[in-house]
Amino acid sequence: MKFGVVFPILSRNRFALILQGIAKGVKKCYVQLSYPNDELGNPIANIDKLYEEGINPYIDEFTEDEYRKIFTTEERKNPFTGVDILDYYKNLSDNIEIIFSNNPVSILKYTKNVLVSDVHTRFRTKEILRRAGAEKLYSLNEILNESIDGSGYSEEYGLLGANYSTDNVLKLFPRGGQDFVNNVQKRLLEKTGKKLEVLIYGDGAFKDPVAGIWELADPVVSPAFTDGLVGVPNELKLKFLVDSGKLSTEELMEKIKSKNISQKDSLGTTPRRITDLVGSLCDLTSGSGDKGTPIVLVQGYFDSYAN
């Protein structure tokens, strides 16, 4: 059977084992990569070369051979890891063929059987392919969303958020998290008399200013959290109010306490979800290396200047 994989992220630890497993189960595996970056900003080509060559990434598509003629080995390498992910993916199996296009429908020239592999844009990609005539159509969250012969599974996210564990084992995104965070909160309250909010976090939602890579390869920052972390902060832009000089200290404190915030008062405060903010803070603190910080305690996050 011929099979197509559309828009996988360019990641050795996130997607390589998945691709290797797919390739082993089909006669021919076509992998369609977006360019010059994947959806997270991981580069596969020098963007300046696109302009030099007159390439329009919105409409131009290439075979692997054509792509190699345009971009040298050095231009394809990740500038931070030094890895040519094109060669890395190709070496996983001898039946993998790579094409380059930012139009998901391009894969249908090769096969009607498609696995949608992007993370955050998967619903749109899948709908485009469905309307264009894909026959067998799945997305990563629909693979291993239930146990197969005793295997692990993630009922909500499937293979999304999977990560390298060993050369032939993947870790899946956690399940059962809601019971866990609720139980931790309950036990901490019993032992300390304090109600703490608890969340499980993965990748933080931030973009590296040097690499230009968006960190969030997981489907969400936090797969489970207690009720007190629901929503977005209700904040006013303190510096705007102070700079205006129109309010006395007492009036300013009263305005903060009342939370009677107009659109102008909140200008410049991006309405991010609390779980994304706190989870990103925790990820930046703990990192993914050898710091050895399985738990991050955040204090004072919900304190108000008026108090």
Side-chain angles (χ1 to χ4, degrees):
M1 182 179 82
K2 295 180 179 179
F3 197 77
V5 176
V6 173
F7 298 157
I9 60 175
L10 306 173
S11 172
R12 291 170 292 171
N13 65 309
R14 290 287 189 168
F15 197 76
L17 275 182
I18 295 174
L19 178 57
Q20 189 174 45
I22 292 169
K24 286 182 177 180
V26 298
K27 182 178 180 181
K28 184 74 173 182
C29 183
Y30 296 96
V31 179
Q32 180 176 328
L33 299 180
S34 57
Y35 74 94
N37 308 307
D38 68 6
E39 65 173 309
L40 302 182
N42 294 296
I44 196 170
N46 185 316
I47 191 169
D48 294 328
K49 190 70 173 286
L50 296 182
Y51 295 101
E52 292 173 9
E53 296 289 334
I55 296 170
N56 185 343
Y58 291 101
I59 58 175
D60 292 336
E61 55 187 72
F62 306 95
T63 64
E64 180 187 333
D65 289 340
E66 290 170 335
Y67 206 72
R68 289 182 185 275
K69 290 178 181 178
I70 298 170
F71 298 99
T72 67
T73 301
E74 288 303 313
E75 289 169 336
R76 294 194 307 269
K77 284 183 179 179
N78 185 296
F80 301 95
T81 65
V83 173
D84 182 339
I85 200 71
L86 175 58
D87 285 342
Y88 190 91
Y89 277 3
K90 281 283 293 185
N91 290 334
L92 293 173
S93 178
D94 58 11
N95 64 339
I96 291 176
E97 182 174 330
I98 295 178
I99 61 172
F100 297 85
S101 173
N102 291 318
N103 179 1
V105 176
S106 297
I107 194 69
L108 299 182
K109 299 175 184 178
Y110 302 86
T111 176
K112 303 291 185 182
N113 309 311
V114 183
L115 176 66
V116 173
S117 302
D118 41 349
V119 181
H120 305 290
T121 51
R122 61 189 182 276
F123 297 112
R124 182 174 70 237
T125 300
K126 187 176 181 183
E127 179 60 17
I128 290 171
L129 284 163
R130 185 190 67 79
R131 293 186 181 189
E135 295 174 357
K136 292 183 179 179
L137 182 61
Y138 299 93
S139 54
L140 283 177
N141 59 291
E142 296 173 300
I143 309 297
L144 278 182
N145 56 5
E146 59 183 26
S147 181
I148 300 174
D149 297 330
S151 72
Y153 65 97
S154 174
E155 61 268 76
E156 186 172 0
Y157 297 110
L159 284 175
L160 284 177
N163 214 326
Y164 177 93
S165 181
T166 71
D167 286 343
N168 55 12
V169 175
L170 278 174
K171 293 179 293 188
L172 300 182
F173 214 47
R175 68 176 191 270
Q178 198 58 50
D179 289 340
F180 176 81
V181 295
N182 290 339
N183 186 45
V184 170
Q185 184 183 61
K186 179 182 177 182
R187 293 177 64 182
L188 287 171
L189 180 61
E190 292 171 350
K191 289 180 177 295
T192 69
K194 303 289 185 180
K195 184 179 180 181
L196 279 72
E197 303 300 337
V198 182
L199 88 164
I200 298 169
Y201 65 92
D203 275 348
F206 54 86
K207 186 174 182 178
D208 186 282
V210 177
I213 296 171
W214 189 28
E215 177 68 15
L216 188 57
D218 288 327
V220 292
V221 172
S222 174
F225 47 86
T226 49
D227 292 343
L229 295 172
V230 174
V232 299
N234 186 26
E235 297 176 323
L236 49 78
K237 199 72 170 183
L238 183 60
K239 68 177 183 181
F240 287 172
L241 296 174
V242 172
D243 289 348
S244 71
K246 295 179 180 179
L247 298 175
S248 67
T249 301
E250 291 75 19
E251 290 171 327
L252 182 61
M253 296 302 178
E254 191 57 39
K255 190 173 187 66
I256 296 172
K257 288 179 179 179
S258 70
K259 288 297 183 181
N260 183 19
I261 299 172
S262 67
Q263 187 176 23
K264 185 177 180 181
D265 291 337
S266 62
L267 181 67
T269 57
T270 306
R272 298 185 180 96
R273 294 181 298 185
I274 293 171
T275 51
D276 293 338
L277 290 165
V278 176
S280 298
L281 171 63
C282 292
D283 185 32
L284 282 166
T285 302
S286 63
S288 58
D290 58 2
K291 289 185 177 180
T293 48
I295 296 171
V296 177
L297 175 63
V298 178
Q299 294 177 297
Y301 191 83
F302 295 104
D303 291 354
S304 169
Y305 176 68
N307 295 327

